């Protein structure tokens, strides 16, 4: 009779960025180890929240399959003497395969040993397999805790291992398995008995833990869009941000917050970056694409006292935007061209001088590439001006505080300084592409500036 297996590793909060890879590893390791053990199953699913990793195997066979194997031995001329008696070579080969020498088979001039291994009960296989899963997982960073030698992504606090209703004994870092898990840190019960693997997902849901990450992601998406529609607004969508939020919460509840209109005088990037990269908020825009003084975020909990949570998020964002406003106003006291002297104070690379030295190298490279690439005279002028200003935004308070804005604020400040749109765009495009799948430069000057900047990084460094 087929059985179901549940294995849950309960831990302190796991970094959201690690979760997709860990769940993928857990599933693939389980598939590989079950196949290696010749233990059939119907399906495997992995679930994850900030506090738990879970594996559910359905339709697990009672025992592993019987294994029949055929082992090739030495040639028959070596295995038997001229009178047909088995030699030491044949006797040793048979003993090694656990069979009687009389059961050896001769075929094609060689001897063969045919062996059969009886299936092993699933309980025994699983008891050995589950600890292997824990030890086989790899993480970008692991932790020791207490005085233990065990390592894991975060300290392990509980283990659940069930084969149908039976607890499978597993121990890791002094924690022993049981049928007891934990609910939401604040809303659920501290101890929850899991009757069997089939009831796991619903039992946790009853305790405010939406363990299925796909369901959780869809709930978050739906909640965000409902609120945005109520506000007659569109979301500045980001799939990576959604994925991160998905692994930061166990019971998602979306909410909308706001900030003062006065902050909208800042460049959009100076508002959006603190929202998305620092606070994990989704900005909202109107139907014309103009930024609104509102944001969406997701709480890890119910809607109880949601207005208090909203006020707290607004207060934190207001402090971030105050910082941005201060840095912006301070930066505007000096134009980009007047910031060139500041480049001498920023080391590019030991042995390769400062950013002023790098800028000089880029200017020389730009002249060569402009000619080689056949740049038009106007584009060449744009390239030289953009190269002079390319690194100057790295001296600004805004980029120092929000490093993600390098190039972005360079473009904004260049436009405010009265530089041409072509120059401003090239300053932004110098860093493109920033990652695999990113947009590429489109202007002629931007393309060349992007290339020479990367060539200088590679050639000068190596």
């Amino acid at each position: 009779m087929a059985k179901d297996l549940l294995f849950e590793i309960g831990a302190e909060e796991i970094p959201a960025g690690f979760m997709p890879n860990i769940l993928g590893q857990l599933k693939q390791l389980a598939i590989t180890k079950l196949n290696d053990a010749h233990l059939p199953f119907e399906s495997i699913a992995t679930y994850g929240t900030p506090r738990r990793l879970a594996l559910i195997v359905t339709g697990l066979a009672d025992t592993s399959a019987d294994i029949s194997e055929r082992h090739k031995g030495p040639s028959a001329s070596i295995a038997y003497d001229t009178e047909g008696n088995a030699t030491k070579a044949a006797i040793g080969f048979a003993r090694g395969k656990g069979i009687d020498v009389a059961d050896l088979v001769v075929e094609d001039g060689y001897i063969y040993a045919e062996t059969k291994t009886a299936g092993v009960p699933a309980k025994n296989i699983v008891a050995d397999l589950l600890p292997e899963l824990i030890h086989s997982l790899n993480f970008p960073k692991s932790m020791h805790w207490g005085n233990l030698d065990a390592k894991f992504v975060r300290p392990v606090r509980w283990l659940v291992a069930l084969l149908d209703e039976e607890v499978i004994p597993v121990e890791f870092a002094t924690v022993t398995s049981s049928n007891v898990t934990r609910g939401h840190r604040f809303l659920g019960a501290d101890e929850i008995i899991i009757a069997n693997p089939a009831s796991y997902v619903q039992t946790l849901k009853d305790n405010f833990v939406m363990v299925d990450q796909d369901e959780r992601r869809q709930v978050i998406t739906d909640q965000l869009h409902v609120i945005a529609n109520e506000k007659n607004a569109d979301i500045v969508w980001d799939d990576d941000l959604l994925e991160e939020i998905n692994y930061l919460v166990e019971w998602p509840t979306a909410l909308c917050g706001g900030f003062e209109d006065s902050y909208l005088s800042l460049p959009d990037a100076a508002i959006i970056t603190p929202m998305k990269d620092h606070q994990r908020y989704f900005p909202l825009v109107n139907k014309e694409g103009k930024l609104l003084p509102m944001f969406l975020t997701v709480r890890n909990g119910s809607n109880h006292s949601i207005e208090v949570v909203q006020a707290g998020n607004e207060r934190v964002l207001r402090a971030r935007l105050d910082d941005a406003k201060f840095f912006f106003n301070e930066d505007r006291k000096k134009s980009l061209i007047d910031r060139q002297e500041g480049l001498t104070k920023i080391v590019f690379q030991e042995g390769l001088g400062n950013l002023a030295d790098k800028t000089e190298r880029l200017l020389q490279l730009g002249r060569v590439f402009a000619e080689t690439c056949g740049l038009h005279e106007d584009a060449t002028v744009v390239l030289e001006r953009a190269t002079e200003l390319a690194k100057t935004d790295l001296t600004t308070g805004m980029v120092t505080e929000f490093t993600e804005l390098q190039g972005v604020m360079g473009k904004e400040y260049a436009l405010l300084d009265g530089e041409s749109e072509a120059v401003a765009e090239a300053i932004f495009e110098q860093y493109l592409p920033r990652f695999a799948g990113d947009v590429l430069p489109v202007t002629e000057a931007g393309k060349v500036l992007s290339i020479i900047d990367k060539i200088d990084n590679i050639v000068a460094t190596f």
Side-chain angles (χ1 to χ4, degrees), residues 437-453:
D438 193 17
V439 294
L440 300 177
V442 294
T443 67
E444 295 301 310
K447 290 175 183 177
V448 174
L449 183 52
S450 172
I451 291 171
I452 63 175
D453 184 43

Side-chain angles (χ1 to χ4, degrees), residues 16 48 220 247 280 346 359 363:
I220 294 171
Y247 289 108
R280 278 73 177 175
I346 303 177
T359 299
L363 285 168

Side-chain angles (χ1 to χ4, degrees), residues 22-311:
I22 295 174
L23 293 178
Q25 283 188 63
L26 183 60
K27 184 173 184 177
Q28 191 54 54
L29 284 168
I31 291 172
T32 299
K33 291 183 181 297
L34 287 172
N35 287 336
D36 289 346
H38 303 281
L39 187 59
F41 59 91
E42 291 179 4
S43 65
I44 286 184
T46 51
Y47 301 111
T49 77
R51 300 178 70 204
R52 71 199 74 227
L53 304 168
L55 169 75
I56 294 182
V57 183
T58 58
L60 199 65
D62 278 336
T63 61
S64 61
D66 294 340
I67 303 173
S68 296
E69 294 181 286
R70 205 161 189 258
H71 308 276
K72 186 178 181 180
S75 66
S77 61
I78 295 175
Y80 299 100
D81 60 22
T82 55
E83 296 179 0
N85 298 315
T87 64
K88 288 184 178 180
I91 294 171
F93 175 67
R95 185 187 304 117
K97 300 305 177 185
I99 66 171
D100 191 276
V101 69
D103 294 328
L104 292 174
V105 177
V106 178
E107 251 184 52
D108 302 325
Y110 290 88
I111 62 171
Y112 292 86
E114 295 179 349
T115 61
K116 288 187 178 181
T117 304
V120 180
K123 176 182 175 181
N124 297 350
I125 295 175
V126 168
D128 294 332
L129 181 147
L130 296 183
E132 291 177 6
L133 287 180
I134 301 179
H135 291 286
S136 298
L137 290 171
N138 292 311
F139 315 105
K141 293 183 180 179
S142 298
M143 288 183 64
H144 289 283
W145 58 98
N147 58 356
L148 303 173
D149 291 329
K151 290 195 304 183
F152 203 68
V153 61
R154 287 294 183 269
V156 173
R157 298 307 185 201
W158 75 89
L159 295 170
V160 176
L162 289 177
L163 190 61
D164 280 351
E165 292 81 19
E166 183 179 4
V167 175
I168 302 298
V170 178
E171 183 174 345
F172 179 74
T174 73
V175 178
T176 55
S177 60
S178 68
N179 62 347
V180 178
T181 186
R182 303 180 189 180
H184 188 281
R185 189 180 287 278
F186 304 113
L187 304 176
D190 288 337
E191 294 189 353
I192 306 163
I193 295 176
I194 302 296
N196 52 58
S199 65
Y200 173 72
V201 173
Q202 187 57 49
T203 301
L204 280 177
K205 191 175 291 187
D206 293 340
N207 283 270
F208 299 94
V209 176
M210 197 175 297
V211 72
D212 185 338
Q213 62 273 8
D214 295 332
E215 178 186 6
R216 205 166 57 242
R217 187 186 301 107
Q218 189 59 53
V219 167
I220 294 171
T221 301
D222 293 343
Q223 289 181 357
L224 292 174
H225 283 296
V226 165
I227 297 176
N229 290 335
E230 290 173 353
K231 302 295 183 181
N232 194 32
D234 292 328
I235 303 171
V236 180
W237 196 257
D238 188 318
D239 287 331
D240 292 336
L241 177 59
L242 173 65
E243 192 72 354
E244 183 178 8
I245 290 173
N246 188 33
Y247 289 108
L248 289 173
V249 299
E250 291 193 319
W251 193 258
T253 300
L255 61 99
C256 182
F259 55 90
E260 290 79 1
D261 289 356
S262 60
Y263 293 115
L264 293 177
S265 61
L266 293 168
D268 286 357
I271 302 172
I272 291 174
T273 296
M275 279 192 194
K276 291 173 62 175
D277 295 348
H278 295 262
Q279 299 306 129
R280 278 73 177 175
Y281 298 163
F282 283 95
L284 291 175
V285 295
N286 62 21
K287 298 304 178 181
E288 287 73 43
K290 185 178 179 181
L291 198 63
L292 294 171
M294 293 187 291
F295 63 89
L296 300 179
T297 188
V298 181
R299 175 195 190 179
N300 183 22
S302 66
N303 60 4
H304 177 68
S305 298
I306 197 76
E307 65 282 352
V308 177
V309 179
Q310 175 186 332

